């Protein structure tokens, strides 16, 4: 599998849509489809189930995406190290960001670190909290951006930011006419959610906030927040949604509601091994201490 086809495969798997993947990659959809067919012929397997209105990964496709992701990350690390050597860089900081968060205090700390230590190379990737914590635990990365709480005793977690939690409802839903929704009203609602395995701590925290006395009636699980919002727009159900993701995607047909009572927030943090000896990690944590005012976080 060459790098170009690996990138194509991962992009399609991220979106489960050839049109959006082609737009992200800046290639024609026909060319993208042709390259995937070539890859399927080379491997001798079918990677995507193209039946129905939406494509999905086959069992070989899931394995292929995992291997393609590893291949791309290895290639990216190699490129960064080569460039760092050419620039006379002193060290490397490896960061994996969470898919559900961008910007805020984490981005501020990274930008400040770049300015203060321009000779330290930074390699950045993204994934779900569960994968990120695994990478930090086994030493593949130095810093994992996560959605706490994290049940990983090998890791130290530092809270850096927070994000408002809202409720996404279809535009024609009765909730869309309310100033705020009572939690008791959610008991019988059909719910769209993402897989708990992506971030068990965050998932359980959301359930505790919205459904403190009964389990949510989850009727569909989607791979990420964007697909969750599209399912809400289609009238499948309501969904808890971080405000930042709702603002980023702005899916038509979705109305964002408040929940009655005090505003609810989801924390954002970084996880790392305390026994990691990388000097770049220590310098990054020093920058975090300087630029992030944790006293402003809601307790």
């Amino acid at each position: 599998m060459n790098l170009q086809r690996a990138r194509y495969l991962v992009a399609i798997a991220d979106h489960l849509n050839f049109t959006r993947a082609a737009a992200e990659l800046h290639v024609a959809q026909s060319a993208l489809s042709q390259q995937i067919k070539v890859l399927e012929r080379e491997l001798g397997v079918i990677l995507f189930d193209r039946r129905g209105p939406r494509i999905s990964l086959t069992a070989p496709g899931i394995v292929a995406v995992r291997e393609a992701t590893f291949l791309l990350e290895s290639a990216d690390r190699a490129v960064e190290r080569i460039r760092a050597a050419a620039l006379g860089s002193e060290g490397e900081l490896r960061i994996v960001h969470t898919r559900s968060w961008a910007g805020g205090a984490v981005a501020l700390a990274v930008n400040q670190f770049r300015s203060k230590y321009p000779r330290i190379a930074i390699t950045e990737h993204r994934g779900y909290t569960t994968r990120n914590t695994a990478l930090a635990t086994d030493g593949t990365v130095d810093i994992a951006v996560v959605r706490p709480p994290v049940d990983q005793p090998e890791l130290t977690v530092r809270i850096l930011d927070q994000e408002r939690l809202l409720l996404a409802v279809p535009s024609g839903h009765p909730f869309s006419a309310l100033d705020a929704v009572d939690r008791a009203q959610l008991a019988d609602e059909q719910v769209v959610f993402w897989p708990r395995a992506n971030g068990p701590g965050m998932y359980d925290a959301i359930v505790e906030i919205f459904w403190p006395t009964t389990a949510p009636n989850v009727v569909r699980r989607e791979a990420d927040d964007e697909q969750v919002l599209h399912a809400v727009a289609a009238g499948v159900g309501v969904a808890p949604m971080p405000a930042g993701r709702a603002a980023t995607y702005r899916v038509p047909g979705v109305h964002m509601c408040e929940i009655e009572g005090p505003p609810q927030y989801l924390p954002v943090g970084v996880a790392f091994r305390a026994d990691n000896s990388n000097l770049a990690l220590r310098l990054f944590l020093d920058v975090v201490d300087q630029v992030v005012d944790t006293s402003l976080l809601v307790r």
Side-chain angles (χ1 to χ4, degrees), residues 163-183:
E163 183 178 19
R164 188 79 172 269
L165 180 61
L166 302 174
L167 180 72
V169 304
S171 292
H173 193 284
F175 287 172
S176 64
L178 302 177
D179 293 331
V181 177
D182 189 319
R183 289 172 177 79

Side-chain angles (χ1 to χ4, degrees), residues 54 167-168 170 189-195 203 206 210-211 216-241:
R54 295 183 59 198
L167 180 72
E189 289 293 323
Q190 295 190 129
V191 178
V192 184
F193 226 138
W194 37 265
Y203 186 101
I206 291 173
F210 280 176
W211 295 274
N217 177 27
V218 179
V219 297
R220 183 183 296 182
R221 297 189 188 276
E222 293 287 353
D224 55 33
D225 289 330
E226 182 181 12
Q227 295 306 315
V228 168
L229 287 169
H230 281 290
V232 171
V236 175
V238 303
M241 183 62 51

Side-chain angles (χ1 to χ4, degrees), residues 44-63:
V45 299
I46 300 300
L47 301 174
F48 292 96
D49 184 346
R50 297 169 174 83
R51 296 171 297 180
R54 295 183 59 198
I55 65 171
S56 60
L57 285 163
T58 62
I62 292 171
V63 175

Side-chain angles (χ1 to χ4, degrees), residues 101-111 160-162 284 288 291-293 297:
W101 172 263
V106 175
L108 175 62
V110 172
N111 290 337
L160 304 189
D161 217 326
Q162 61 190 9
F284 179 78
V288 167
V291 303
V292 177
D293 187 354
L297 300 181

Side-chain angles (χ1 to χ4, degrees), residues 219-287:
V219 297
R220 183 183 296 182
R221 297 189 188 276
E222 293 287 353
D224 55 33
D225 289 330
E226 182 181 12
Q227 295 306 315
V228 168
L229 287 169
H230 281 290
V232 171
V236 175
V238 303
M241 183 62 51
R245 304 307 278 171
T248 297
Y249 293 125
R250 296 184 181 276
V251 174
V254 175
H255 178 80
M256 303 308 299
C257 295
E258 302 280 349
I259 295 296
E260 285 190 353
Q264 299 296 324
Y265 293 89
L266 297 171
V268 180
V270 292
F272 55 92
R273 290 190 67 113
D275 59 357
N276 185 332
S277 61
N278 186 0
L279 176 60
L281 170 62
R282 302 300 143 194
L283 296 175
F284 179 78
L285 294 175
D286 288 342
V287 170

Side-chain angles (χ1 to χ4, degrees), residues 111-227:
N111 290 337
Q112 290 288 336
F113 183 84
R114 289 184 188 277
S115 297
K116 192 170 184 178
Y117 302 105
R119 293 170 65 84
I120 295 180
I122 299 180
T123 57
E124 297 178 273
H125 308 286
R126 65 189 178 104
Y128 299 113
T129 287
T130 299
R131 176 176 178 271
N132 292 0
T133 55
L135 292 175
T137 299
D138 68 20
T140 301
V141 301
D142 302 300
I143 285 285
V145 182
V146 297
R147 291 284 197 171
V150 170
D151 184 18
Q152 204 70 287
E154 302 92 341
L155 300 179
T156 298
V157 178
R158 189 174 297 183
I159 307 299
L160 304 189
D161 217 326
Q162 61 190 9
E163 183 178 19
R164 188 79 172 269
L165 180 61
L166 302 174
L167 180 72
V169 304
S171 292
H173 193 284
F175 287 172
S176 64
L178 302 177
D179 293 331
V181 177
D182 189 319
R183 289 172 177 79
Q185 295 176 277
L186 298 177
D188 298 323
E189 289 293 323
Q190 295 190 129
V191 178
V192 184
F193 226 138
W194 37 265
R196 182 179 181 274
N198 290 357
M202 178 183 176
Y203 186 101
D204 292 345
I206 291 173
V207 169
E208 179 64 26
I209 290 171
F210 280 176
W211 295 274
T213 60
T214 183
N217 177 27
V218 179
V219 297
R220 183 183 296 182
R221 297 189 188 276
E222 293 287 353
D224 55 33
D225 289 330
E226 182 181 12
Q227 295 306 315

